Amino acid sequence: MAKNLKDLYIDFFISKGHKKLNSASIIPENDPTCLFNTAGMQPLIPYLMGEKHPLGTRLTNYQKCFRLTDLDEVGDKTHHTFFEMLGNWSLGDYFKKESISWSFEFLTKGLKIPVDKLAVTVFKGNDVVPPDNESAEIWESLGIPKERICFLAEEDNWWGPAGTVGPCGPDTEIFYFRSDEETPKNYDPNDKRWVEIWNNVFMQYEKQDDGTFTSLKQKNVDTGMGVERTTAILEHVDDNYKTSIWKDIIKKIESISNKSYENEEDARSMRIIADHIRAIVIISADDANIVPSNTDQGYILRRLIRRMIRYAKKLEIDINSEFDSEIAKMIIKQYEKYYPEVKKNKERILDVLVNEKNKFAHTLEKGLKEFVKITDILKRQNINSINGKTAFRLYDTFGFPIELTVEMAKEQNMDVDIEGFDTCFKEHQEKSRQGSVNKFKGGLSDHSESNIKYHTTTHLLHQALKDVLGNDVNQKGSNINAERLRFDFSYPTKLTEEQKKKVEDIVNQKISEELDVTCEEMSPEKAKEEGAIGLFDNKYGNIVKVYSIGNYSKEICGGPHVHNTRELGVFKIKKEEAVGAGIRRIKATLSN
Ligand code: SER
């Protein structure tokens, strides 16, 4: 059914004049403040803010999303880390009437959900925005009775921004009555049998740094529907892991572990294993080239793999067997049709899994014994907190991510001195453990002047690296914040001082030439023919935007950029280092 839902959705919106967009990378581009895309709209932020999208003003897709905030909830029947979000967007094109009517048509005709099973909520208004009577009237005209149209406040009917600033607006949410009992006449927000299946956001505001709202250039629609939850509804089960998406995987874990999903405690472990292996497959398949590490997305990947292994151990699975690869292969098979990178990078996915497991497996056993020893001693002394030093030893010697120690401690009704752990960590390691917490601020909506400048500079740097090091140099990652750009690229060896100087000189030369930055739209084939640098193969459909900097650089890119290189200032490379086999990283700044 999962397959059908995705296909039905995309076909429906194509029939309403939308263009299908391929899922963007699971990592936001040029956005240091978000580790992962958490909603389908995130890669579209520049276009919601007014940039022109090469495919037009009506778009639809399924987007790879990952929510770290849900990690601790995974294990119940409804939560996932990785999930797919279906969406359709109007970029300053249609608004409430079409959006609501099409949602209604898709649900009742496309998915054949009886109207009697549906209810909706709309925004009741506040100081900034009036009550959304318009949406309520549209719903009523379609046949949703007044008693099932509920006006609610910001907590329920305001969406966004994705970070702390950016596009946002009032929304109308659609609920399904999941029960065999008779549908109550009135919608009741506290009745858990009503589950949300779709969210239509009328995105016409931008939240600013100071907390105020301004109107966006255009009125947009952003909708989101979770594939997993809606599939569960369509298949009449109240456990996402009992749907066709997961059924075979759970069965496989049952057979590997010789345990039953009917036992709730074992079921929890099975769901965690299933969820995490799927997330591991999708993250390591992504063209962003993420591998397990101690920072950022790599750290999350490491945590997922280690946590998954611990739960396999809980189920008494032989962790040295190939159980994880077997499950991963099933997931690859299931998703390769939808995400070409899953097929293309199959070997890499399996390598990541095996290598990281081997690293962890041989210390896990010892670490678990050590953990029992530690907690036994503490319990005898009536102490219910593991100190920072001990937690750090579990991390440093046995490879236990701190979150794993916290989770295991919790099972023993203990807590962990995380501050103490952090102090030890900082003492022992220079590298900060970014990435694990609190990185969900801001967004691509950061169209600040400095962000845009660094973006254009990144294009110059990319071309300059090709000039100096050869055409085989390719972008492997890019990340910008207010203070610097960071650029990862393929190159086997450390750059010499001379090479760095050359690159720097070229970029500064181009800045001083006061080159105009221009944008054209064309087919990807034509862009290639013209020698444009293409970053990700399957990102766009038939038309792409190509940004040129004078005659010097030509690159497929969504923008935005400065108008002329004279706006950029003086370029300086601050650091050049390795970040993986064959991948180098440059950090560079601009100054006036
Ligand atoms: N951005 C909204 C959400 O995540 C609708 O797509 O729910």
Side-chain angles (χ1 to χ4, degrees):
M1 191 68 209
K3 180 171 104 196
N4 287 346
L5 173 61
K6 273 190 281 197
D7 294 340
L8 286 171
Y9 189 99
I10 301 296
D11 289 349
F12 178 84
F13 281 99
I14 286 177
S15 83
K16 303 291 181 196
H18 293 64
K19 291 274 168 23
K20 179 178 176 277
L21 196 64
N22 289 327
S23 173
S25 162
I26 200 164
I27 311 294
E29 241 184 284
N30 290 321
D31 187 346
T33 58
C34 285
L35 286 178
F36 293 99
N37 281 318
T38 57
M41 55 74 75
Q42 232 165 309
L44 294 171
I45 289 175
Y47 310 103
L48 293 163
M49 311 251 308
E51 277 287 306
K52 195 165 166 240
H53 195 285
L55 291 186
T57 52
R58 295 183 181 192
L59 306 173
T60 182
N61 86 346
Y62 41 86
Q63 169 64 39
K64 301 188 278 187
C65 298
F66 184 91
R67 289 192 180 168
L68 187 61
T69 42
D70 288 338
L71 184 77
D72 292 335
E73 312 282 345
V74 174
D76 67 9
K77 295 175 178 177
T78 55
H79 281 88
H80 310 285
T81 49
F82 165 76
F83 67 100
E84 296 173 284
M85 195 185 274
L86 288 158
N88 58 283
W89 292 273
S90 156
L91 303 171
D93 187 321
Y94 60 84
F95 206 46
K96 294 181 183 175
K97 183 153 192 301
E98 292 86 341
S99 172
I100 291 175
S101 308
W102 290 339
S103 290
F104 184 81
E105 185 182 333
F106 180 65
L107 293 172
T108 57
K109 297 220 171 74
L111 301 182
K112 304 194 172 51
I113 295 177
V115 180
D116 188 48
K117 283 276 191 186
L118 299 174
V120 300
T121 61
V122 296
F123 186 49
K124 81 174 197 188
N126 61 12
D127 299 347
V128 184
V129 180
D132 193 0
N133 295 322
E134 189 186 344
S135 292
E137 278 159 24
I138 300 168
W139 283 119
E140 211 181 333
S141 77
L142 292 167
I144 303 280
K146 255 198 161 74
E147 304 75 32
R148 300 235 180 100
I149 302 173
C150 182
F151 283 81
L152 295 174
E154 284 93 340
E155 303 85 79
D156 295 288
N157 284 95
W158 184 276
W159 196 89
T164 48
V165 294
C168 53
D171 62 19
T172 176
E173 297 190 350
I174 308 170
F175 291 79
Y176 174 87
F177 189 69
R178 180 153 73 186
S179 167
D180 291 334
E181 289 156 44
E182 200 185 324
T183 315
K185 196 160 178 277
N186 292 298
Y187 166 79
D188 172 4
N190 298 318
D191 184 340
K192 293 280 169 264
R193 293 173 298 177
W194 288 105
V195 287
E196 187 208 329
I197 48 173
W198 205 346
N199 185 10
N200 294 24
V201 187
F202 304 116
M203 217 162 237
Q204 46 175 326
Y205 298 95
E206 183 186 357
K207 191 170 184 190
Q208 307 289 338
D209 260 341
D210 61 7
T212 59
F213 295 87
T214 52
S215 286
L216 286 172
K217 277 189 208 150
Q218 62 196 34
K219 288 182 179 175
N220 307 291
V221 174
D222 154 43
T223 89
M225 175 193 270
V227 170
E228 284 70 13
R229 190 186 294 175
T230 307
T231 303
I233 282 166
L234 296 173
E235 295 183 7
H236 305 288
V237 287
D238 67 355
D239 175 346
N240 292 2
Y241 295 86
K242 285 189 174 166
T243 63
S244 50
I245 303 176
W246 295 104
K247 238 179 11 217
D248 292 346
I249 311 255
I250 295 292
K251 227 186 255 157
K252 178 88 181 166
I253 302 175
E254 280 186 305
S255 102
I256 291 172
S257 62
N258 222 351
K259 296 211 161 26
S260 163
Y261 190 72
E262 297 307 315
N263 174 313
E264 183 52 29
E265 200 184 324
D266 291 339
R268 185 174 128 78
S269 299
M270 290 181 193
R271 293 180 197 126
I272 291 174
I273 295 169
D275 170 89
H276 285 13
I277 295 187
R278 184 174 74 164
I280 293 160
V281 165
I282 302 284
I283 294 174
S284 45
D286 200 283
D287 283 324
N289 263 318
I290 299 152
V291 290
S293 73
N294 285 334
T295 54
D296 295 338
Q297 291 92 353
Y299 181 69
I300 306 300
L301 182 56
R302 170 159 285 166
R303 262 174 76 187
L304 288 169
I305 298 176
R306 296 189 172 192
R307 190 165 189 256
M308 178 279 288
I309 293 171
R310 178 176 165 249
Y311 278 93
K313 189 129 187 68
K314 262 193 150 169
L315 286 182
E316 296 170 326
I317 291 175
D318 172 8
I319 57 170
N320 293 312
S321 71
E322 290 188 359
F323 79 97
D324 47 345
S325 300
E326 283 173 34
I327 298 166
K329 280 181 195 158
M330 290 174 74
I331 291 169
I332 290 169
K333 208 158 174 203
Q334 195 175 336
Y335 286 90
E336 62 186 6
K337 176 175 167 218
Y338 292 98
Y339 303 104
E341 64 276 17
V342 169
K343 187 173 195 154
K344 189 176 81 184
N345 298 327
K346 182 172 170 175
E347 294 308 316
R348 187 173 78 202
I349 300 167
L350 299 174
D351 282 353
V352 162
L353 202 49
V354 170
N355 292 342
E356 182 66 15
K357 185 176 79 174
N358 288 346
K359 251 188 216 159
F360 186 49
H362 80 276
T363 53
L364 173 69
E365 210 87 45
K366 285 190 213 142
L368 288 175
K369 279 199 191 115
E370 183 69 16
F371 185 83
V372 173
K373 213 164 87 190
I374 294 164
T375 46
D376 276 353
I377 294 172
L378 292 176
K379 274 184 206 157
R380 262 183 271 133
Q381 299 173 344
N382 273 332
I383 298 172
N384 60 1
S385 179
I386 298 176
N387 69 25
K389 220 168 172 175
T390 307
F392 184 74
R393 193 158 52 83
L394 286 168
Y395 167 83
D396 200 35
T397 314
F398 302 105
F400 281 35
I402 179 69
E403 294 81 3
L404 190 61
T405 303
V406 171
E407 191 175 325
M408 289 170 53
K410 214 161 153 193
E411 289 169 8
Q412 305 294 323
N413 291 322
M414 290 192 166
D415 57 25
V416 180
D417 174 12
I418 296 187
E419 263 175 44
F421 170 85
D422 279 341
T423 311
C424 292
F425 189 94
K426 279 187 198 119
E427 274 168 19
H428 284 77
Q429 232 154 347
E430 271 178 19
K431 270 193 210 157
S432 76
R433 188 181 55 85
Q434 301 166 25
S436 63
V437 276
N438 285 338
K439 288 211 73 190
F440 290 85
K441 291 189 271 132
L444 256 187
S445 51
D446 182 6
H447 278 198
S448 65
E449 222 178 296
S450 88
N451 199 300
I452 295 172
K453 281 184 188 172
Y454 276 123
H455 194 179
T456 307
T457 312
T458 301
H459 282 214
L460 288 176
L461 171 63
H462 195 174
Q463 186 57 46
L465 285 167
K466 283 180 178 285
D467 289 357
V468 175
L469 305 175
N471 227 359
D472 288 344
V473 166
N474 278 311
Q475 171 165 348
K476 289 292 173 197
S478 163
N479 172 298
I480 291 169
N481 66 27
E483 281 87 40
R484 56 125 183 92
L485 66 81
R486 195 179 86 190
F487 188 72
D488 296 349
F489 57 100
S490 50
Y491 193 66
T493 52
K494 188 166 176 57
L495 269 59
T496 63
E497 286 306 314
E498 200 192 346
Q499 285 169 327
K500 275 196 287 189
K501 176 92 178 45
K502 255 194 190 155
V503 170
E504 222 172 61
D505 287 349
I506 294 177
V507 173
N508 281 318
Q509 169 65 27
K510 294 299 158 192
I511 292 175
S512 68
E513 284 174 17
E514 307 201 342
L515 302 172
D516 278 331
V517 182
T518 53
C519 176
E520 275 176 281
E521 292 179 7
M522 57 184 83
S523 67
E525 293 77 24
K526 173 116 191 301
K528 219 177 197 167
E529 228 173 79
E530 295 201 353
I533 298 173
L535 299 185
F536 302 106
D537 324 336
N538 59 343
K539 208 166 96 179
Y540 292 123
N542 300 329
I543 305 171
V544 291
K545 278 164 99 170
V546 174
Y547 275 90
S548 300
I549 308 180
N551 289 326
Y552 182 63
S553 140
K554 201 171 247 224
E555 206 169 295
I556 297 177
C557 172
H561 285 279
V562 300
H563 299 294
N564 187 292
T565 57
R566 81 168 77 88
E567 296 166 46
L568 299 179
V570 181
F571 174 76
K572 179 132 195 63
I573 295 180
K574 292 287 188 189
K575 198 167 183 183
E576 191 273 337
E577 60 187 343
V579 277
I583 300 181
R584 310 293 307 175
R585 168 171 292 177
I586 280 181
K587 287 185 183 164
T589 58
L590 289 170
S591 58
N592 292 323

